[in-house]
Amino acid sequence: MSSRLSALATCAALTVCGLAAPASADTGPTSPTAPAAPTVNLATNPGFEIPASSLADWGSVPGWSCAGGPAEAAATTAAPHSGSSALTVTPAGDNSTGECAQTVSVQPNTTYTASAWVRGKFVYLGATGTGRDVAPAWTENTNGGWQQLTTRFTTGPTARTVRLYVHGWYQQGPFSVDDVRVDGPAPAPATATPSVPTKDKVVFFTVDDGWQRTPEAEQFIADHKLPITAFPLPMPAAADPGFFQRVTAVPGSSIQDHSVSHPDLTTLSPAEQQVEICDARDSLTRTFGTAPTVFRPPYFTWNADTLQAAANCGMRTVLTADADFSWGASNVWHEGPLQPGDIVLMHWTDTLATDLQRALAAADAAGLKPAGLASYLR
């Protein structure tokens, strides 16, 4: 313990080890003719006011991934900086800093300002994955009150996301965080579409939810080598990840985002929509190792806030469908049979094997072949 504090003091005194809070980061080149984009707060659940869904990871803090889980981190109502709650972290062991982090979507070659109000000893705020070295902002002791930490960073030419983090220090006790901000221009809104514009004689099979997983559907997909785009909810995906890995093993298949708790997003605020989409992205990324880039809104209900929230979570496309073959249906929502680029909706149910058989027959009758969706949306 004493060696850790001694090293920390040396770093602070010499402004090395990346612990000194910079006045500003290198802003890089800017275009003199480009109009200034609106500055918005891109952080998810920045005030820790949004409650966890019953279908989220137990005890999770919406929008945030905390290394120690619910044993260390929770949104509490004890003396927040503003609003009704703040994040309180109590590192559980000598080797824990109590780090909590989130992924923030950004634009390349763009300057952002990150800030947070903190309370406690040796609390840090920083960002990684920016494409350039960024020293965190930090404080030695807020003396029981709230103190704002601020740091700036400029993204590199290929940066599309950064990892924003807050943490304490070893054996320095609890700390609190509130009113987090990542201020800068937002990504362009996602594009909404029910089909893929293509002249290729292809159709796309998509399957939602994940509560009923049958060996018959798995076998049919394998026997016919069907590329499937799966949109599972995080809870059934985490309950049976091997199943979803097997049914998306055919080249061209992928696993994409369908929200955490399957709400009608138009009934939620923009901040709540962002939590639903980003938390599902994070859970699926942890489970399968690849971040989704396509979002399917539950019930196909969405609005302009959904398109921006999806983009803030790294989604390029908000996808509906123009045909439904779920639960024995054979509905094509345009005149005539299936057409090139059509997206077919199905669900992981006990009828999926026969639904897939019927959809494949309809595609064959139209002279179409199932194809992988993600490569067509790039």
Side-chain angles (χ1 to χ4, degrees):
M1 171 59 189
S2 60
S3 61
R4 283 179 176 149
L5 289 179
S6 176
L8 179 61
T10 300
C11 289
L14 297 179
T15 64
V16 295
C17 304
L19 298 181
S24 64
D26 175 19
T27 59
T30 59
S31 170
T33 59
T39 295
V40 297
N41 183 12
L42 296 172
T44 302
N45 194 17
F48 307 96
E49 305 290 333
I50 298 174
S53 164
S54 61
L55 296 182
D57 295 337
W58 180 83
S60 64
V61 178
W64 295 84
S65 176
C66 297
E72 290 191 350
T76 66
T77 58
H81 176 258
S82 71
S84 60
S85 60
L87 176 69
T88 297
V89 182
T90 304
D94 293 348
N95 293 317
S96 174
T97 63
E99 183 180 81
C100 291
Q102 66 174 252
T103 299
V104 181
S105 293
V106 294
Q107 297 184 22
N109 294 319
T110 304
T111 299
Y112 293 85
T113 301
S115 63
W117 287 87
V118 302
R119 184 174 58 199
K121 296 179 180 179
F122 292 106
V123 187
Y124 299 78
L125 167 74
T128 59
T130 64
R132 295 183 169 95
D133 291 336
V134 181
W138 66 287
T139 181
E140 182 175 353
N141 195 339
T142 68
N143 296 311
W146 287 96
Q147 178 181 332
Q148 189 177 38
L149 300 179
T150 302
T151 186
R152 298 178 71 214
F153 60 87
T154 299
T155 55
T158 61
R160 295 291 179 181
T161 63
V162 300
R163 181 176 179 273
L164 178 75
Y165 66 84
V166 292
H167 65 72
W169 197 251
Y170 303 100
Q171 297 187 22
Q172 295 304 295
F175 65 92
S176 297
V177 184
D178 204 358
D179 297 329
V180 179
R181 301 191 66 88
V182 180
D183 289 319
T191 300
T193 184
S195 62
V196 175
T198 181
K199 294 182 180 179
D200 294 350
K201 292 185 177 299
V202 295
V203 67
F204 305 100
F205 289 174
T206 65
V207 191
D208 287 9
D209 296 349
W211 295 111
Q212 292 177 286
R213 303 173 294 275
T214 67
E216 294 82 8
E218 180 182 343
Q219 192 65 52
F220 188 91
I221 291 168
D223 289 346
H224 293 82
K225 297 180 172 58
L226 292 179
I228 295 295
T229 303
F231 290 89
L233 299 173
M235 183 174 281
D240 195 357
F243 174 86
F244 291 100
Q245 290 169 328
R246 293 191 300 273
V247 296
T248 56
V250 175
S253 299
S254 64
I255 296 174
Q256 303 293 346
D257 194 321
H258 194 38
S259 80
V260 171
S261 62
H262 208 281
D264 177 347
L265 293 174
T266 63
T267 67
L268 303 182
S269 69
E272 291 169 324
Q273 292 196 42
Q274 187 162 321
V275 163
E276 282 283 340
I277 302 170
C278 285
D279 273 5
R281 171 206 63 192
D282 293 343
S283 180
L284 295 173
T285 302
R286 286 193 300 271
T287 301
F288 301 109
T290 302
T293 59
V294 182
F295 174 65
R296 168 161 279 163
Y299 314 111
F300 290 1
T301 58
W302 56 272
N303 54 24
D305 291 334
T306 310
L307 300 183
Q308 189 59 63
N312 292 353
C313 297
M315 307 296 135
R316 296 190 293 268
T317 305
V318 171
L319 190 78
T320 55
D322 43 21
D324 182 8
F325 278 67
S326 304
W327 293 292
S330 299
N331 299 319
V332 179
W333 296 322
H334 56 65
E335 292 186 4
L338 291 173
Q339 298 175 358
D342 276 353
I343 295 169
V344 179
L345 170 69
M346 286 172 275
H347 290 78
W348 299 104
T349 66
D350 57 3
T351 67
L352 180 57
T354 56
D355 294 340
L356 284 165
Q357 185 175 28
R358 198 170 55 261
L360 185 58
D364 287 342
L368 305 173
K369 297 293 185 184
L373 177 65
S375 61
Y376 275 81
L377 292 175
R378 289 177 181 170

